[in-house]
Amino acid sequence: MTQRAPILAQARPATTGLTGKIRVPGDKSISHRALMFAALAVGTSRITGLLEGEDVLRTAAAMRALGASVTNHGAGVWSVTGLGLGALQTPDDVLDMGNSGTAARLLCGVLASHDLFAVMTGDASLRRRPMRRVIEPLAASGAMFAARPGDFLPLSVKGAAEAMPLTYRLPVASAQVKSALLLAGLNARGITSIEEPEPTRDHSEHMLRHFGAHLTIEPCGDGRLIRLTGQPELTAADIAVPGDPSSAAFPIVAALLIAGSRITIEAVGLNPLRTGLFTTLQEMGADLSFSHHRIEGGEPVGDITVTASALRGVDVSADRAPSMIDEYPILAIACACAAGPSRLRGLGELRVKESDRLSATLALLQANGAAVSLEGDDLIIAGAVNKLGGGMVETRMDHRLAMSALVLGLAADDPVQIDDARFIDTSFPGFVPLMRSLGATITLADEAA
Ligand code: S3P
């Protein structure tokens, strides 16, 4: 993907409301985990609704390179045949995880407790993201990591032949670190014990149970204590991946902001540890209604109907961050169009995402006339005081910045341009046609040519 030249894109202010019924691609977090857990289980697992974005395709390729048989049957249906815990093999070549922090960090956990040697790299964005948060705790299992100074990719790992179980309290609320340690603990003899300071997305815990592992989860202070019994018999299991709430966020905010809109998004994952944005938007006055609640593959799923709403500013406390960590750029767009000021607190973790999302979100809004500032790790947005739009946004290899900027262009007074639309495919292939199907005007420079 990164060999293609950058693609300029522009979103124009909508003149009529967005309407229609859509589905968004499969959940990115669940898709990565489905491929990894299935590759560690004995037998063939069938996965439906897998996200076929660049990030997840990297995980599919990595699991194949490690010896699992991974087959794409078309239309989001995949099968994975694993050989069981401990059976992964040394890959022939470097594992390239592209833009995906989740793929890289979770895979470190898998590799740490397998008796193999592997080298991992990623694109320029991923090579700037911190890996110490996983390799430091994982080293206690007996795995030997060597990484670029500062603990950046590329890195090499010599996994432990007989991994020790880990006991660890996470210093930051991170589902990626938690999941990496759980994945390592699967092939360690004994109990792996992880304490998280605040609850973070628990897809790994759901999936571990789904594949037959034994774990206990209990409240611990403001967070949770998770204890996993190592070396279970993981047995193949089928997984239906729900629509990604983090992707649904973009059409949802667009529909809220564009007068006359009413859209429905079907089959969106509604795991309560992922729905902080929906709660926040409702606090801002958003008309969101949820229907057809059901459980699919152990995860809550439902349809969301969105009606354009007059939004007001909001004060979001830091403890909500884990349940909406990827949604701050698009929430910031909603806040810039809302009546009254907003304060989004405790956003330090945004500095180590696909880009430094805190400074990039600030720059996105400033380039388009919004009154916005940073106080420490808090983002302060004045609300709709100025005319918005007219800017060119640097997307910094970050899919969520690209989509947030385009949504701003649909809701603003003047068009918004982005310097590169290519990275949208990492999490939301088909974003532009899907938004157009609702009535949005988004043009890509390579189509205009
Ligand atoms: C993810 C966890 C979050 C999130 C990322 C996906 C996961 O990262 O930002 O997009 O699938 O576990 P952190 O765990 O670093 O907060």
Side-chain angles (χ1 to χ4, degrees), residues 423-434:
F423 284 87
I424 292 173
D425 286 350
T426 63
S427 68
F428 201 152
F431 171 75
V432 171
L434 195 71

Side-chain angles (χ1 to χ4, degrees), residues 58-364:
R58 298 291 179 156
T59 293
M63 299 326 289
R64 204 178 271 134
L66 288 162
S69 152
V70 181
T71 311
N72 178 0
H73 301 280
V77 181
W78 290 60
S79 60
V80 179
T81 305
L83 299 172
L85 280 173
L88 297 180
Q89 297 146 16
T90 292
D92 287 344
D93 202 350
V94 172
L95 302 172
D96 185 348
M97 307 323 293
N99 194 249
S100 179
T102 307
R105 298 208 179 100
L106 268 58
L107 201 60
C108 281
V110 173
L111 299 173
S113 62
H114 275 80
D115 187 9
L116 50 71
F117 173 77
V119 179
M120 189 190 294
T121 191
D123 70 11
S125 155
L126 186 54
R127 293 196 308 270
R128 286 191 291 267
R129 297 182 65 186
M131 298 300 288
R132 182 173 304 155
R133 53 179 59 198
V134 286
I135 65 182
E136 201 170 73
L138 286 172
S141 69
M144 285 187 298
F145 288 90
R148 215 152 50 85
D151 289 331
F152 295 112
L153 294 180
L155 63 72
S156 68
V157 51
K158 173 79 190 77
E162 298 217 359
M164 301 287 289
L166 300 168
T167 297
Y168 192 64
R169 183 178 198 277
L170 302 185
V172 284
S174 166
Q176 290 181 357
V177 179
K178 172 178 66 175
S179 300
L181 303 190
L182 287 171
L183 280 157
L186 268 177
N187 201 28
R189 205 188 299 252
I191 307 281
T192 291
S193 177
I194 304 164
E195 191 185 325
E196 53 178 357
E198 291 167 79
T200 63
R201 64 189 72 190
D202 56 1
H203 307 304
S204 298
E205 293 89 314
H206 280 296
M207 219 173 275
L208 278 165
R209 287 193 169 129
H210 191 61
F211 279 95
H214 178 72
L215 73 164
T216 60
I217 304 171
E218 54 191 79
C220 183
D222 290 335
R224 292 178 169 182
L225 176 67
I226 301 146
R227 289 163 57 85
L228 168 70
T229 307
Q231 300 189 323
E233 275 295 315
L234 291 188
T235 322
D238 293 347
I239 294 172
V241 181
D244 196 329
S246 299
S247 296
F250 300 102
I252 288 175
V253 170
L256 287 171
L257 297 179
I258 299 168
S261 297
R262 187 176 167 85
I263 66 168
T264 296
I265 310 180
E266 294 177 316
V268 181
L270 295 176
N271 181 315
L273 293 169
R274 294 289 300 282
T275 50
L277 175 74
F278 305 150
T279 309
T280 304
L281 290 170
Q282 285 175 319
E283 287 168 4
M284 297 174 75
D287 182 348
L288 302 181
S289 70
F290 297 86
S291 59
H292 295 105
H293 287 278
R294 55 206 184 267
I295 301 287
E296 277 181 14
E299 292 276 347
V301 174
D303 299 349
I304 309 177
T305 296
V306 189
T307 308
S309 309
L311 300 182
R312 34 181 199 275
V314 68
D315 189 326
V316 183
S317 64
D319 59 11
R320 193 171 287 167
S323 67
M324 53 179 299
I325 192 66
D326 292 333
E327 280 67 82
Y328 284 99
I330 189 64
L331 174 62
I333 303 300
C335 294
C337 299
S342 292
R343 186 173 191 121
L344 314 182
R345 296 175 190 265
L347 306 189
E349 272 295 296
L350 293 197
R351 296 189 196 276
V352 291
K353 295 297 176 188
E354 286 80 335
S355 65
D356 172 350
R357 275 193 187 148
L358 199 46
S359 68
T361 302
L362 185 83
L364 185 173

